[in-house]
Amino acid sequence: MEEVEYFEPKSVAEACALLAERENAKLLAGGASLGALLKSKLIFPEALVTLKSVPGLREIERTPGGELRIGALCRHREIVESPLLREHCSVLAEAGAKIASPAIRNVGTIGGNICHGDPTADFPPALIALGAQLEVVGSGGTRVVPVREFFTDHYETVLSPDEIVVSIRIPPLPPRCGAASLDLTKTHNSVAIVHVAALVGVDERGRCTHAGLGAGGVASTPLHISEAATLVGEPLSPAGIERVAEAAMEQARPVSNSHASASYRREMVGVLTRRALRAAWERAGKAPADISATRGREEP
Amino acid sequence: MKQEIEISVNGSRVRLAVEPGRTLLQVLREDLELTGTKEGCGTGECGACTVLLDNEPVRSCLLLAVDANGRQVTTIEGVSRDGQPHRIQQAFVDVGAVQCGFCTPGMVLVAKALLDAKPQPTEAEIREAISGNLCRCTGYAKIVKAIQACG
């Protein structure tokens, strides 16, 4: 690890070119995930390409049309504290507040959290529920990838070796909506056993106009629970919630490990789905200014 | 290939040539002989390696030394002044919040960062701030009390 080559490009294009030239190079953002892999001797790159001097990757903006753009190098702490996100997309602040520890949140980035490809990562379920997209730049050009199509397997994504995620785009949210990100953990900041995030939009007559659901920890990738879309058109009902919870349990492909068994994970994704949908629905019932960034930690 | 870097460590400018793959923890302990910062888990989870980078707690076991270039690092050695303990260190001693002492440097630095930003934190804020620092000895109660005593 000590003799690794280290490059500090000054632009995205330069970074892509460096990644394209070297077969065994890794991109370095905050270093929270990559550092752990290096220290655990799970990967042996010959070169590290750091993004720390590339401009334009740390902004959080809202376009006049209501789209939110989050630079991939925004740190978790910045996402949790961002007034813009707390007002317009507080579920991301809620998800980010649960990551690891304050020291990790001071350096870890949202781009790194997504691209690391951990199926229990904290941002992907919320991003899937929000219908978020990733702006990806490579030597061959730019493309946009929906987060729900980004992951292919444990720690694997659709990125080519020379591609970099530069920003996360959240489409304009419905005027009346609520979202919740709930996780089940053993201790305060430990890795999530199961993670569910829900977004629902409601019209003046109380009917659901929009619904999205993402789940983590129950498959080799974060999951998009497409059944949530069937809630649209009617008020949220116990029957509707149950139908989506059953679909989440059906879609899950959990694996047993030292943290939890597969059967427990499957059971819990159903529980968290019900709770996340109810919490999101309750939050949607309030005026937009009332959607607050309360911690959505599982209540007993 | 070694890279030239300059870091401010506990207020003093230090110039070093380091291999890029070396962590800040390795450079602090091995090159600068500042052994107050500890290696516990080596993967960023236990907090024993905590230092302040531009006054924010970070994991020195995960940070490459080259990424501290041009920045300010505070280790536990930089907390006391002229051999006199900082009031946070004195509070830890007075309350009895130190047993084996391995987590203590990280705890004191996290406490310092918290108290610098929030002079009178609530118990919940204290517990959140130290949530990334593991202690196997004390059960955390006296550590929380010591930090409250500084508020």
Side-chain angles (χ1 to χ4, degrees):
Chain A
M1 181 184 154
E2 293 200 7
E3 280 93 43
V4 69
E5 282 184 289
Y6 181 84
F7 298 97
E8 196 178 327
K10 306 294 188 285
S11 70
V12 175
E14 195 186 339
C16 293
L18 284 164
L19 291 173
E21 280 161 32
R22 275 156 185 79
E23 219 181 276
N24 192 9
K26 289 298 276 181
L27 203 59
L28 176 61
S33 299
L34 187 67
L37 288 180
L38 289 168
K39 295 302 291 296
S40 304
K41 297 190 165 52
L42 291 170
I43 58 171
F44 299 92
E46 283 158 21
L48 295 176
V49 178
T50 179
L51 290 171
K52 69 180 181 186
S53 298
V54 174
L57 300 179
R58 295 175 205 271
E59 279 78 43
I60 299 176
E61 301 167 314
R62 186 164 187 260
T63 69
E67 181 187 70
L68 284 164
R69 283 185 200 151
I70 304 170
L73 283 196
C74 286
R75 295 174 296 154
H76 305 323
R77 176 188 172 154
E78 285 159 355
I79 294 188
V80 171
E81 294 177 355
S82 158
L84 200 60
L85 289 180
R86 290 172 86 89
E87 188 187 339
H88 295 288
C89 195
S90 62
V91 70
L92 282 185
E94 186 176 57
K98 298 185 183 116
I99 297 176
S101 63
I104 293 290
R105 296 196 289 272
N106 283 335
V107 301
T109 66
I110 184 168
N113 187 261
I114 297 166
C115 294
H116 185 53
D118 186 328
T120 64
D122 292 80
F123 282 122
L127 292 172
I128 287 170
L130 293 165
Q133 300 185 314
L134 305 175
E135 186 188 356
V136 176
V137 178
S139 313
T142 305
R143 60 180 176 136
V144 173
V145 181
V147 176
R148 43 184 79 159
E149 294 168 22
F150 185 67
F151 305 99
T152 56
D153 206 338
H154 293 281
Y155 305 102
E156 285 184 20
T157 70
V158 299
L159 291 179
S160 306
D162 71 331
E163 282 185 310
I164 299 173
V165 170
V166 298
S167 76
I168 294 94
R169 309 284 179 93
I170 317 285
L173 296 181
R176 292 174 66 97
C177 67
S181 174
L182 303 180
D183 66 355
L184 183 65
T185 56
K186 282 187 181 175
T187 64
H188 183 71
N189 285 329
S190 62
V191 165
I193 295 171
V194 172
H195 201 131
V196 173
L199 169 77
V200 293
V202 60
D203 66 15
E204 336 62 58
R205 293 173 48 188
R207 289 173 306 192
C208 178
T209 57
H210 192 107
L213 198 82
V218 289
S220 62
T221 70
L223 291 180
H224 168 224
I225 309 298
S226 52
E227 183 74 21
T230 67
L231 295 171
V232 170
E234 291 172 357
L236 203 62
S237 64
I241 291 176
E242 198 52 37
R243 192 174 68 239
V244 177
E246 294 283 325
M249 293 170 69
E250 176 73 19
Q251 209 176 323
R253 295 276 178 275
V255 171
S256 295
N257 65 10
S258 59
H259 296 299
S261 68
S263 59
Y264 183 65
R265 289 175 189 267
R266 188 184 299 279
E267 184 82 26
M268 289 303 109
V269 78
V271 171
L272 290 198
T273 295
R274 290 180 203 107
R275 294 188 188 188
L277 283 171
R278 281 202 295 266
W281 187 252
E282 276 165 34
R283 291 178 185 177
K286 303 177 185 183
D290 288 331
I291 297 173
S292 59
T294 56
R295 289 182 78 102
R297 190 160 297 290
E298 252 324 81
E299 278 122 16
Chain B
M1 201 181 110
K2 290 195 180 188
Q3 298 231 344
E4 301 277 335
I5 59 172
E6 189 179 289
I7 313 177
S8 164
V9 180
N10 297 328
S12 302
R13 286 232 202 107
V14 174
R15 279 212 194 93
L16 299 156
V18 295
E19 294 286 359
R22 291 186 75 219
T23 63
L24 180 62
L25 180 64
Q26 286 173 302
V27 169
L28 288 171
R29 289 184 57 88
E30 296 165 19
D31 297 6
L32 300 178
E33 295 185 356
L34 294 170
T35 55
T37 312
K38 312 298 184 194
E39 176 156 25
C41 68
T43 53
E45 294 168 76
C46 76
C49 72
T50 304
V51 298
L52 301 184
L53 186 69
D54 296 334
N55 299 316
E56 292 182 344
V58 298
R59 304 297 202 219
S60 67
C61 77
L62 294 182
L63 197 72
L64 299 178
V66 294
D67 284 343
N69 186 26
R71 303 179 71 176
Q72 288 188 321
V73 173
T74 308
T75 71
I76 188 63
E77 289 88 349
V79 171
S80 53
R81 291 270 157 79
D82 304 318
Q84 293 305 306
H86 190 280
R87 66 192 179 99
I88 298 173
Q89 293 170 306
Q90 192 60 52
F92 270 60
V93 169
D94 294 342
V95 167
V98 181
Q99 291 189 29
C100 81
F102 201 79
C103 77
T104 309
M107 288 288 187
V108 169
L109 286 168
V110 162
K112 181 177 189 307
L114 172 67
L115 291 165
D116 285 350
K118 278 197 173 107
Q120 298 192 310
T122 64
E123 181 178 333
E125 286 168 336
I126 293 171
R127 286 187 181 273
E128 176 65 36
I130 65 170
S131 65
N133 292 69
L134 301 183
C135 172
R136 292 293 280 125
C137 298
T138 68
Y140 305 98
K142 292 203 171 176
I143 292 174
V144 172
K145 268 189 74 175
I147 298 172
Q148 282 175 318
C150 297

